[in-house]
Amino acid sequence: MSASSGEKDPFIAQLGKIYAGYTGGFAVFVVLLAILEQMGVPDRIIGYLFVFLTIGVYAYIGIISRTAVVAEYYVAGRRVPALYNGMATGSDWMSAASFIGMAGSLYALGYGGLAFILGWTGGYMLVAILLAPYLRKFGQYTVPDFLGARYGGNLARSLGVVVLITASFVYVVAQIVGVGIITQRFLDVSFTMAVFLGLAGILVCSMLGGMRAVTWTQVAQYIILIIAYLIPAILMSVKVTGVPVPQLMYGIALERIEGFEAAFRAAGQTPPPGVTGFYTAPFVGANGQFSLSAMVNFFALVFCLMVGTAALPHILMRYFTTPSVREARQSVAWSLFFIFLLYFTAPAYAAFGKLEIYQTLIGQPIAQLPDWVKNWQIISPYGTPWVNIVDVNRDGILQWGEFRIHPDVVVLATPEIAGLPYVIAGLVAAGGLAAALSTADGLLLALANALSHDVYYKMIDPKAPTARRLIISRILLFFVALIAAWTAGNMGADILFLVAWAFSIAAAGLFAALVMGVWYKRTTNIAACAGMAVGYIATFGYLLHTEFYGWNFIQTFGSKDAILAAARQVANLAAVSPEIKAQAAAMVANAASVQDGALAWFGNMFGGLPTDTVALRGRLVARLWSINNISGGIIGVPLSFLTIWLVSMFTPAPSKAMQDFIEDIRVPRGGVRLADQKAAVE
Amino acid sequence: MSAQQAAVDPATARAYWSKTSGLMWTVLAMWFIAGFGIHFFAVQLNPIHVGGFPLAYYFAAQGSLIIFVVGLFWFGWKQNKIDEEFGVQED
């Protein structure tokens, strides 16, 4: 397995056989556990076996593909075939958010949740046509490498590194939270403990072998996660409709859900907080009527997720590993195909899960709820149980609004909800773990590579010998992972929300500079740097300001009505400090004296879209033009493009050498003249 | 893979790039229609039911995804043909 690039690698030639054998082995393993369960082995042991054996396999693959060769460590020797790179990208891509978060969001948001499905698939079209082939032709190791070479050195490179670190770090925290949720439930340990156990698994895979080990582990993880997602969906489809094709059959479930909802409404019941009462209706508010703000948020989110997809460094760097430009293009198509297999199934998963809850739980006496409900009544990091039964009217009967399940556990709990054997629940947990671990691997590697290659090697010590670069890379990997785990253990947050932040940040910071670098020859160094900085600051600033200083934000951008409404909300929030509460109370008491915010004209720019606040995640979160801050990229991306274009108009055109360099990147044939020479042209 | 000179002459490169850009805009249009265009009409489409599926829900959940996947394989095939037409494919 240590052949250098060029000669025919026996490992590559054997890939088909190796992974076919692996898939067969996994199937046998699942059947074996199913038999054990029938023989009376306790659920807990089944859970342990699933978690430890799969992590053991990943660690084994990581260890046998360890490497100390630079090109192997950073880009897996550039000989990963398109199909396998597609699979690896699939699992790199599909994180805890896709596997355990997405169907849960669909469950809660109905049509509104489909923004995630559209956004996380459509972005690959942008990757394929705008970036992947050209980055592969450029032929370096990291995304900041490209920025550094195209835009004259260390300033552009550092800006790229800053965006990369912010986006990847937020994203990796979300993955570790996901690992924590699964390990907590299936190993029966505390959340913080669970987080550090999961971390050990992540580190073994990526520490030793860099990109090469991560690639082959990710292929293995893809196989497990897709099996784990499809099987329960198929079984539920058989249970409800008798046909094992959930992707085609869940229309029946949708119709029945609509029927149930209408009946609940007719009985005067309301849905639980955060759940839509109109599952298939597009762009509706809580009352079921069309809502412009719901529509704007839907499209803004789709846009941010798509553009973010095409700017996330851990995904883009996967296309550095293919043997050719042609295969890089093909590989994007394969990536999307493998991702599609899961996303195509997620709506079915959510619909069957929802139907099952409506059919078997709502209207039952609370004292007689099935056992699985108790299993999931463990406390989540948000302070409430994952499954929360609140008997609002104290009649002992479970009503529509009284069954509250956190979206992050819908997928994990659905097999039990549907009464499937426990082995299926264990399988789903193994799949979720594979999804979270594989993404965390890719992200940590992207982070460590940026620090060791771009910061240390390119900017601090260009003469550093290979061995030292790789050692530094591993040490950094370890510390980054530790900090991420600490953050995850101390401030767990909704997975989807954290992940969406990462997308907005990457989209606003990197997308414009990368795309303009290839497609607009006139883009100048200063313009690109300015564009990256503007996009990043606008978006990240907006996210922080609206999320953590929502009260301040609304006082600046809100009209006096919006400020008063926010003041009333503040009084009901537990997390708000007494001073702010007093201030808000004073405002409500003195309503007549409240003035418009200093920038209220900006907030009022679109009449139909008010600037307002909502209580989310225990905080007062502000929204400019009623756009949720998870779509913050909608502000930064256009600003970034505009800045780059305008500044390029007023700065001297790039040099002849740079223009030739761009020409070279655009054409598949031949090597890139300036790659591997200096950090930058000019 | 380490040629020191430009691999193709400038005229070919220009013609190649204009055709490649054309393909890019075509796929970008496809992306916009499947990703946004169809869904602008979600409210109007949803009352139509096919096999239990409200049509707009189906497009957002699955229909657009099919267009994305097929579109990407088509793009790969088409771009390869353009590469070969101008003789700029990798050896």
Side-chain angles (χ1 to χ4, degrees):
Chain A
M1 297 229 343
S2 60
S4 64
S5 59
E7 65 188 87
K8 187 77 182 159
D9 188 328
F11 174 64
I12 302 283
Q14 296 276 323
L15 277 177
K17 267 188 211 156
I18 293 173
Y19 282 111
Y22 165 82
T23 312
F26 183 65
V28 172
F29 170 67
V30 174
V31 172
L32 221 62
L33 285 186
I35 296 171
L36 283 179
E37 187 188 357
Q38 295 307 314
M39 286 165 56
V41 173
D43 290 354
R44 199 175 156 155
I45 307 287
I46 307 262
Y48 269 82
L49 285 173
F50 261 115
V51 171
F52 282 118
L53 274 169
T54 51
I55 293 190
V57 170
Y58 310 145
Y60 173 74
I61 299 175
I63 290 167
I64 57 169
S65 11
R66 68 185 179 277
T67 180
V69 181
V70 172
E72 294 282 352
Y73 191 89
Y74 286 116
V75 289
R78 290 196 214 285
R79 58 211 159 92
V80 183
L83 179 87
Y84 290 97
N85 193 48
M87 266 193 222
T89 313
S91 69
D92 199 10
W93 172 251
M94 288 187 286
S95 59
S98 299
F99 193 97
I100 66 179
M102 199 167 55
S105 298
L106 289 177
Y107 169 91
L109 305 174
Y111 185 95
L114 295 175
F116 289 99
I117 299 229
L118 276 175
W120 281 341
T121 49
Y124 279 88
M125 288 209 121
L126 301 179
V127 175
I129 56 176
L130 298 175
L131 291 172
Y134 309 106
L135 289 178
R136 171 61 190 84
K137 176 67 194 301
F138 167 64
Q140 277 283 24
Y141 294 144
T142 67
V143 171
D145 258 344
F146 175 79
L147 296 169
R150 172 68 178 83
Y151 298 125
N154 285 346
L155 177 59
R157 188 189 290 275
S158 336
L159 283 168
V161 170
V162 169
V163 181
L164 184 153
I165 289 177
T166 319
S168 304
F169 190 79
V170 172
Y171 204 163
V172 86
V173 169
Q175 301 318 309
I176 296 180
V177 172
V179 172
I181 293 174
I182 298 167
T183 333
Q184 178 197 20
R185 165 72 180 85
F186 288 89
L187 297 188
D188 240 343
V189 291
S190 80
F191 186 74
T192 318
M193 177 71 186
V195 159
F196 280 93
L197 273 176
L199 188 70
I202 297 170
L203 281 177
V204 186
C205 307
S206 46
M207 275 273 275
L208 296 165
M211 193 59 158
R212 177 160 88 168
V214 166
T215 301
W216 303 123
T217 316
Q218 281 175 340
V219 175
Q221 285 162 332
Y222 177 79
I223 293 169
I224 288 186
L225 81 86
I226 199 67
I227 294 176
Y229 207 80
L230 292 179
I231 286 185
I234 291 170
L235 292 178
M236 283 190 290
S237 178
V238 171
K239 192 171 171 228
V240 176
T241 68
V243 182
V245 193
Q247 296 88 344
L248 296 179
M249 300 310 295
Y250 73 98
I252 295 172
L254 289 179
E255 271 185 339
R256 286 200 210 158
I257 289 172
E258 287 172 336
F260 271 109
E261 285 177 338
F264 292 152
R265 267 197 302 277
Q269 299 189 20
T270 47
V275 174
T276 174
F278 302 86
Y279 194 69
T280 57
F283 320 136
V284 291
N287 56 1
Q289 297 302 310
F290 174 80
S291 145
L292 180 62
S293 116
M295 185 169 177
V296 168
N297 271 301
F298 183 86
F299 287 111
L301 186 56
V302 170
F303 176 82
C304 289
L305 297 178
M306 282 184 178
V307 175
T309 302
L312 276 174
H314 77 289
I315 293 301
L316 292 178
M317 79 179 188
R318 285 235 52 96
Y319 299 106
F320 288 33
T321 67
T322 58
S324 65
V325 175
R326 186 192 171 106
E327 293 221 30
R329 286 196 290 256
Q330 224 124 41
S331 184
V332 185
W334 280 118
S335 306
L336 184 58
F337 173 76
F338 288 120
I339 293 163
F340 165 85
L341 288 182
L342 188 142
Y343 281 38
F344 198 61
T345 314
Y349 204 122
F352 286 126
K354 186 140 188 151
L355 181 62
E356 200 65 44
I357 286 174
Y358 283 177
Q359 273 178 342
T360 58
L361 291 183
I362 310 298
Q364 299 296 314
I366 290 176
Q368 292 169 28
L369 292 179
D371 278 347
W372 67 263
V373 174
K374 289 185 200 76
N375 292 340
W376 279 105
Q377 278 174 323
I378 46 178
I379 295 292
S380 72
Y382 316 109
T384 49
W386 290 116
V387 171
N388 196 6
I389 308 285
V390 190
D391 193 5
V392 180
N393 58 1
R394 297 168 191 276
D395 64 351
I397 303 287
L398 189 64
Q399 252 103 44
W400 193 15
E402 297 175 346
F403 177 80
R404 297 168 188 182
I405 183 167
H406 193 283
D408 285 353
V409 298
V410 168
V411 165
L412 297 171
T414 295
E416 292 166 272
I417 296 172
L420 300 175
Y422 191 80
V423 70
I424 301 297
L427 178 66
V428 171
L433 210 52
L437 290 176
S438 59
T439 307
D441 277 346
L443 286 163
L444 284 174
L445 196 64
L447 280 166
N449 286 358
L451 291 172
S452 72
H453 177 79
D454 291 301
V455 177
Y456 177 72
Y457 175 59
K458 293 283 185 175
M459 284 154 67
I460 296 175
D461 183 7
K463 293 191 193 70
T466 308
R468 195 191 308 155
R469 281 157 64 193
L470 293 188
I471 287 171
I472 291 206
S473 184
R474 282 167 190 167
I475 295 172
L476 283 171
L477 196 56
F478 181 75
F479 281 106
V480 171
L482 221 54
I483 298 169
W486 184 85
T487 315
N490 280 282
M491 48 159 288
D494 302 69
I495 297 178
L496 264 180
F497 147 77
L498 272 181
V499 167
W501 269 41
F503 278 77
S504 274
I505 294 167
L510 293 174
F511 185 69
L514 290 172
V515 170
M516 300 278 269
V518 176
W519 289 90
Y520 185 56
K521 250 201 260 182
R522 185 76 176 64
T523 312
T524 63
N525 301 348
I526 307 162
C529 295
M532 281 192 274
V534 166
Y536 174 77
I537 292 169
T539 295
F540 197 36
Y542 176 73
L543 293 179
L544 293 175
H545 198 177
T546 52
E547 178 73 28
F548 297 105
Y549 306 95
W551 178 232
N552 176 296
F553 189 92
I554 197 73
Q555 285 179 304
T556 315
F557 289 92
S559 64
K560 56 184 169 209
D561 294 341
I563 297 174
L564 260 179
R568 288 196 194 94
Q569 275 179 314
V570 164
N572 295 321
L573 289 172
V576 176
S577 73
E579 300 93 75
I580 294 184
K581 269 192 180 153
Q583 195 193 351
M587 253 183 203
V588 176
N590 265 319
S593 66
V594 175
Q595 297 290 314
D596 278 356
L599 294 173
W601 60 270
F602 192 72
N604 291 336
M605 224 146 68
F606 303 101
L609 295 168
T611 295
D612 58 1
T613 50
V614 281
L616 278 178
R617 303 173 276 271
R619 287 185 282 271
L620 185 78
V621 178
R623 309 190 304 172
L624 185 63
W625 306 319
S626 73
I627 295 171
N628 286 319
N629 67 11
I630 56 171
S631 319
I634 197 80
I635 293 167
V637 175
L639 272 181
S640 181
F641 269 106
L642 195 68
T643 310
I644 294 183
W645 182 70
L646 280 178
V647 178
S648 291
M649 300 300 264
F650 296 106
T651 39
S655 67
K656 177 79 176 63
M658 175 53 71
Q659 306 220 11
D660 289 347
F661 170 75
I662 302 163
E663 291 282 342
D664 269 350
I665 287 178
R666 289 175 172 186
V667 175
R669 173 182 284 249
V672 172
R673 215 171 320 177
L674 298 149
D676 263 332
Q677 282 189 359
K678 278 200 322 219
V681 204
E682 285 183 346
Chain B
M1 291 263 289
S2 58
Q4 286 303 302
Q5 264 309 303
V8 284
D9 67 278
T12 314
R14 257 195 307 280
Y16 169 73
W17 191 244
S18 85
K19 203 149 187 183
T20 301
S21 306
L23 180 61
M24 186 274 277
W25 287 112
T26 312
V27 180
L28 206 60
M30 206 192 268
W31 165 78
F32 185 81
I33 292 168
F36 298 90
I38 303 173
H39 313 292
F40 287 138
F41 303 100
V43 177
Q44 289 78 15
L45 286 174
N46 231 26
I48 308 169
H49 279 60
V50 180
F53 293 100
L55 205 55
Y57 189 93
Y58 184 79
F59 263 107
Q62 294 182 321
S64 290
L65 274 63
I66 297 172
I67 301 176
F68 292 146
V69 173
V70 174
L72 268 193
F73 278 103
W74 176 80
F75 163 75
W77 171 82
K78 186 82 186 161
Q79 182 73 60
N80 284 339
K81 295 235 322 192
I82 296 178
D83 288 3
E84 280 157 28
E85 182 187 336
F86 290 92
V88 298
Q89 76 278 25
E90 291 147 298
D91 318 294

